[in-house]
Structure formats: C-alpha cells, structure tokens
Amino acid sequence: MKHRTALMSRLAPRLTAVVLVATSAALPVWGQTSPAHGALPKSDAYADEMPLDDYLGLLQRIAPAAEAGARAYLAAFQRRCGRPMHTSELRRAFSQGDGDPVLLGLIRASHLRDAAGEAEWARQVRCPGGSTP
C-alpha cells in the first residue's frame, strides 16, 4: 500500500501539469498585430465562449453562494452599463488578481442574505471604458 501512495504522490504534480497544459491549449489565443502587416481580420471574439447559463450552472454546483452573487453582479452590470456581461468578462472578474472586490462583496452579501449590503455593492459595479452612468 505504501508503494501505491508513493507512486500517486510522485504522479500528482505531473498529472496536474498535463491537465493545465491540455485545458489552456483549448482556450482562444489573441496576439498583437504588427504595424507592418496591419490589423488582423475582425472576428467575433465571443463566438467560442461558454454560454453564460452553462457557466452559472457549473458555478452553482461548486458554490451556490458564488452563483447567487454572480447573478447579482450580472444584473447590476446590465442596469449600470446598459448591456449584458459576456461569460469571459465574468470569468475575468473572478480570476484577475484576487478577484473583483465588487463581485466578491456581492457573493458575501448573497451568502449572508444581506439585501442592504448587496444593494451597496451593486452601486459600485464598474463598466468597461468608464461608461458607468
């Protein structure tokens, strides 16, 4: 039994690395264009992204409070910015740095069922390009 445990502890980091490489290879890649060659042809950057409902469904399975907070964040974004948020934007809000403090505040307020806190955080949602009314 010791042999099997030792083998698994040696393989775990390698397996993790393989999974990370395989999943990141499937993500879309955007490169910088060269001024000498001009801009790349326009494409729909959001065409290949996961549908938002699927993303929220997966989030709900992992952490119901995170899903509730994300829905509040999406609703606040829609009200303040006048457009729906894309899945990739929500993913970025979760993953950049320590996460968007407003999103994390909404998750906490949702978890605590704090309506006043949720309303306060929702007023702080920022729009891309500073277009918050």
Side-chain angles (χ1 to χ4, degrees):
M1 194 59 146
K2 274 186 173 180
H3 183 287
R4 202 177 274 176
T5 305
L7 177 64
M8 289 307 292
S9 65
R10 284 195 328 261
L11 289 178
R14 290 181 184 155
L15 182 58
T16 302
V18 168
V19 169
L20 286 173
V21 168
T23 56
S24 61
L27 297 174
V29 176
W30 292 276
Q32 185 173 351
T33 62
S34 166
H37 298 328
L40 291 174
K42 293 204 179 225
S43 67
D44 187 2
Y46 301 108
D48 292 338
E49 77 179 8
M50 173 186 277
L52 191 55
D53 286 336
D54 292 348
Y55 184 77
L56 291 170
L58 292 171
L59 193 57
Q60 201 280 329
R61 285 181 168 187
I62 297 167
E67 185 261 347
R71 285 190 185 277
Y73 186 75
L74 292 167
F77 183 91
Q78 173 74 45
R79 280 190 309 275
R80 293 184 58 80
C81 304
R83 70 167 180 85
M85 181 177 267
H86 296 285
T87 307
S88 58
E89 293 172 304
L90 180 59
R91 288 177 47 214
R92 228 176 290 126
F94 269 111
S95 64
Q96 280 186 333
D98 291 332
D100 182 338
V102 176
L103 173 58
L104 299 178
L106 280 166
I107 290 170
R108 181 170 170 73
S110 294
H111 173 71
L112 297 174
R113 292 177 173 49
D114 176 8
E118 197 171 315
E120 178 61 34
W121 282 111
R123 282 191 289 274
Q124 297 178 44
V125 169
R126 289 168 294 209
C127 299
S131 61
T132 303

